[in-house]
Amino acid sequence: MSKTDFFTKVYKVVKTIPPGRVSTYGLIANKLGTGLSARTVGWALNACHNDSSIPAHRVVNRNGILTGKHHFKGFELMRQLLENEGVKIDDDRVIDFESKLWKP
DNA sequence: AGTATGACAGTCA
DNA sequence: CTGACTGCCATAC
């Protein structure tokens, strides 16, 4: 277990999110056992560019808002990826977010 | 070792 | 509903 294992855990959980589903930082943090470290989850995903193919577009904040889209290469990229999986986006918010929310 | 930052979450105005 | 502040955890400098 390295000190960066936290990142690995985040990546692992994010990769576990099935297509057409979305998850929140808080749930992931809770799954990691840190619960209150939702901010750190975002930090981990911030380094996701250093890792291979992390479906970070499926991770949104508690409101289902695509807060992280600004960190993608293209703002439309995250939205397109989600819509491609059947997730409708309106004003950067996930439609029927609660139904599509994936809970570990 | 202490300070600053961060793709959050929760609460208050 | 939106905006601002605080609290928590981990990393970077």
Side-chain angles (χ1 to χ4, degrees):
Chain A
M1 299 303 245
S2 311
K3 6 184 224 189
T4 55
D5 184 53
F6 186 87
F7 285 38
T8 307
K9 290 179 183 174
V10 175
Y11 300 150
K12 188 174 181 178
V13 175
V14 173
K15 287 178 181 176
T16 313
I17 303 174
R21 299 281 178 178
V22 293
S23 186
T24 71
Y25 301 93
L27 289 174
I28 295 173
N30 192 334
K31 175 65 177 169
L32 298 177
T34 43
L36 305 172
S37 62
R39 307 188 77 170
T40 317
V41 175
W43 184 254
L45 287 181
N46 186 10
C48 83
H49 293 285
N50 198 355
D51 196 286
S52 45
S53 298
I54 308 288
H57 58 272
R58 293 181 192 152
V59 185
V60 295
N61 68 353
R62 65 169 180 92
N63 257 332
I65 302 175
L66 283 58
T67 49
K69 75 169 200 168
H70 290 283
H71 292 264
F72 280 77
K73 296 179 181 178
F75 297 161
E76 302 179 29
L77 178 61
M78 186 173 185
R79 194 174 87 186
Q80 287 182 16
L81 288 171
L82 288 172
E83 288 187 340
N84 186 28
E85 295 180 352
V87 180
K88 300 292 179 69
I89 307 299
D90 175 62
D91 192 30
D92 299 344
R93 301 184 198 175
V94 178
I95 302 287
D96 202 8
F97 165 69
E98 299 179 23
S99 293
K100 299 178 185 304
L101 179 60
W102 174 77
K103 302 169 186 176

